[in-house]
Amino acid sequence: MNAVARAAALWVGICAVAVAGALPATAAAQQASGAPPAGLRAALEQAVADGFPGAVAYARRGERESRTAAGLADTATGERARPGHRFRIASNTKAFVSTVLLQLEGEGRLSLDDSVETWLPGVVGGNGNDGGAVTVRHLLNHTSGIYDPTEEAEFFAPYLERDDRTHVYTPREVIARAVRHEPLFAPGGGWSYSNTNYLLAGLVIEAVTRRSAPSEIRRRILVPLGLKDTSFPVTDPDIHGPHLHGYDLKGRDVTRFSPSYDWTAGAMISTVDDLARFHRALFTGELLRPAQQRELLTAVRFPGSPAYGLGVQAVKVTCGAEEGGESIDAWATDGGGPGFTSLSLTSADGERQLVLAVNVYDLGADLRNERPVPDTDAPGRARTAVMCG
C-alpha cells in the first residue's frame, strides 16, 4: 500500500516538488474559529455524492481555523459524520516515527547515518540484504531498497480471504518476510516506498530508548501537544470512542481490522484536529532542533519519484496553473489503508493547512493495482478552496 507514492497523486492531484528550508514559527495558541473557506463544504458534499459515505476536514488560514463534515460516519445506523470523529491515519503515522528518531539524534543518542546493523544486529541480512550498508536515514527517506511484503495479496490472505480481522503479524515477522527477497537496489541507489523501512525504524527507536515505540511517540509528541484523541493500537482491531466507520468499494464495513501488520508504518488513529496540531508543531519547528528540522525537510529526488524528506513529502499545489494561476509549495503526509483515506497539507510558509479524511479505501482493489477509492475531483476542490486564493 504505497499510500504516499500513490494516493496523493491519485486522490488529490498534487505534484512532487523540492521545497527547501524550515517553515517560519507561528503562534499555535488560541486560534479563531470561523466558517470554512468558500468551496470546502461543497467539496465534501461532492465527495459524498461521488461515493464516499462520509468526509471530514480541518482548515486553517493564518490563525482562523474551521472544521466541516458531510455524509455518514456509519451507514448502518445513519450516524452523521462529525469533524471530531476518529479514523485510522495509516501512513500519516510515519511522520510521528521520523520525528522521534530526529529528536533522538538531536539528543546525541543516535545518528541518522548509523547503520541498521548497529542497532539491530542480524535483523537485515541474507539474499543480498546488508544491514551494515543501510542507514537510519535510508529507512526514513525510503532509499534503503528493502522489499515491502505488504504489496503482496498473499500477505493479506488472513484478513481478506479467511476474514480473520484479528490476525496478528509482529514487526519482526513482516521484516523476516521482506528480507527473503533481494533488495530492489543498493542502499541510496534509488527510491521505493516500503513499509518495512518504518517497521525497522520503530525497532531502532526501541533499541535506543529501551521503551516501546508507541510509548515514545506518546511521551514525546501526544502528551506534550495535548493530542488526546490520538492513539497507537498495536493489536486491537477496534476503534474506540466516536469514530468514522471505514468501507471498501462495495460498501462493506472494514472498520474492525488488526493494525499489527502496519505498526510504526501506519497503525495510528487520530482526528483531523489532532493531525493539524501535530503538523503545525512539526513544520514550524516546535518539535525539532534546527539541524534536525533541516534534515526533516531535505528531500531526496530520483527520476519518476516524489520529492521525499524524512516521513514527509514536498509537493506543489497548483491553483489554476493551466490559466496562469499561482502554485503553492507545501508539505504533505497521507495515508490509505482498510476503510480510510486521508491527507494533510501545510503550506511552506506555514500559513495554510488542510487535513481531509474520507471513509473508503479498498485494500483488495489496491492489491489488484486497481483504484482503491471512488473516482472524484472533490479532494482537489477541497485543496484549492483551502490552499489557494
Side-chain angles (χ1 to χ4, degrees), residues 164-246:
D164 179 6
R165 302 283 182 78
T166 65
H167 183 81
V168 171
Y169 280 113
T170 69
R172 289 180 184 267
E173 282 182 286
V174 181
I175 293 164
R177 292 174 72 115
V179 298
R180 291 174 197 161
H181 298 260
E182 294 182 355
L184 303 179
F185 45 79
W191 190 92
S192 182
Y193 190 90
S194 174
N195 286 314
T196 312
N197 288 327
Y198 274 77
L199 300 183
L200 288 162
L203 292 182
V204 171
I205 290 173
E206 298 192 337
V208 175
T209 65
R210 300 187 181 277
R211 289 192 278 267
S212 76
S215 69
E216 282 296 285
I217 288 172
R218 177 173 176 76
R219 184 174 74 87
R220 291 169 172 273
I221 302 173
L222 306 190
V223 171
L225 295 182
L227 307 185
K228 61 183 184 302
D229 292 321
T230 301
S231 60
F232 195 139
V234 176
T235 60
D236 187 348
D238 296 310
I239 303 178
H240 299 279
H243 62 274
L244 298 175
H245 283 242

Side-chain angles (χ1 to χ4, degrees), residues 5-365:
R6 283 204 295 266
L10 171 71
W11 190 54
V12 184
I14 52 183
C15 302
V17 64
V19 180
L23 279 67
T26 57
Q30 193 66 27
Q31 297 172 348
S33 295
L40 179 57
R41 190 182 302 278
L44 267 60
E45 291 171 350
Q46 183 64 52
V48 173
D50 289 340
F52 291 98
V56 296
Y58 167 98
R60 178 176 63 82
R61 285 183 164 190
E63 295 305 309
R64 183 163 294 276
E65 57 181 6
S66 61
R67 301 155 185 86
T68 189
L72 300 178
D74 185 342
T75 59
T77 66
E79 179 186 3
R80 302 293 299 178
R82 301 193 306 274
H85 274 135
R86 298 167 187 169
F87 55 92
R88 298 191 192 280
I89 68 172
S91 287
N92 288 287
T93 299
K94 291 178 172 67
F96 289 84
V97 173
S98 65
T99 298
V100 171
L101 282 165
L102 284 162
Q103 288 180 345
L104 290 170
E105 185 189 55
E107 295 163 11
R109 300 176 68 179
L110 61 72
S111 166
L112 294 188
D113 296 316
D114 287 346
S115 72
V116 171
E117 183 69 16
T118 297
W119 294 106
L120 305 174
V123 173
V124 175
N127 301 306
N129 294 283
D130 180 4
V134 176
T135 67
V136 175
R137 191 187 307 275
H138 290 145
L139 299 179
L140 298 184
N141 65 17
H142 292 298
T143 60
S144 73
I146 297 173
Y147 181 79
D148 184 359
T150 69
E151 291 290 314
E152 301 173 351
E154 189 274 333
F155 180 90
F156 288 102
Y159 307 97
L160 300 183
E161 295 179 18
R162 300 196 287 276
D163 200 31
D164 179 6
R165 302 283 182 78
T166 65
H167 183 81
V168 171
Y169 280 113
T170 69
R172 289 180 184 267
E173 282 182 286
V174 181
I175 293 164
R177 292 174 72 115
V179 298
R180 291 174 197 161
H181 298 260
E182 294 182 355
L184 303 179
F185 45 79
W191 190 92
S192 182
Y193 190 90
S194 174
N195 286 314
T196 312
N197 288 327
Y198 274 77
L199 300 183
L200 288 162
L203 292 182
V204 171
I205 290 173
E206 298 192 337
V208 175
T209 65
R210 300 187 181 277
R211 289 192 278 267
S212 76
S215 69
E216 282 296 285
I217 288 172
R218 177 173 176 76
R219 184 174 74 87
R220 291 169 172 273
I221 302 173
L222 306 190
V223 171
L225 295 182
L227 307 185
K228 61 183 184 302
D229 292 321
T230 301
S231 60
F232 195 139
V234 176
T235 60
D236 187 348
D238 296 310
I239 303 178
H240 299 279
H243 62 274
L244 298 175
H245 283 242
Y247 301 91
D248 66 13
L249 287 168
K250 294 182 179 178
R252 293 176 295 203
D253 192 318
V254 294
T255 310
R256 196 165 193 270
F257 209 101
S258 171
S260 62
Y261 74 93
D262 237 359
W263 196 49
T264 45
M268 292 179 69
I269 292 168
S270 192
T271 63
V272 291
D273 260 81
D274 274 10
L275 273 182
R277 173 72 183 101
F278 167 59
H279 287 124
R280 190 172 193 186
L282 179 61
F283 290 120
T284 58
E286 183 178 340
L287 293 173
L288 299 174
R289 301 182 185 191
Q292 281 68 48
Q293 189 76 10
R294 289 191 294 273
E295 289 179 316
L296 172 78
L297 303 180
T298 299
V300 294
R301 300 206 64 183
F302 288 88
S305 299
Y308 199 87
L310 302 184
V312 301
Q313 183 178 342
V315 299
K316 186 176 287 293
V317 177
T318 57
C319 301
E322 66 277 9
E323 291 93 24
E326 63 178 338
S327 294
I328 306 295
D329 288 337
W331 290 97
T333 70
D334 70 352
F340 301 96
T341 310
S342 55
L343 172 79
S344 176
L345 287 172
T346 302
S347 63
D349 62 8
E351 287 299 302
R352 299 191 180 194
Q353 281 185 277
L354 168 67
V355 183
L356 177 63
V358 289
N359 54 351
V360 172
Y361 193 92
D362 194 316
L363 175 59

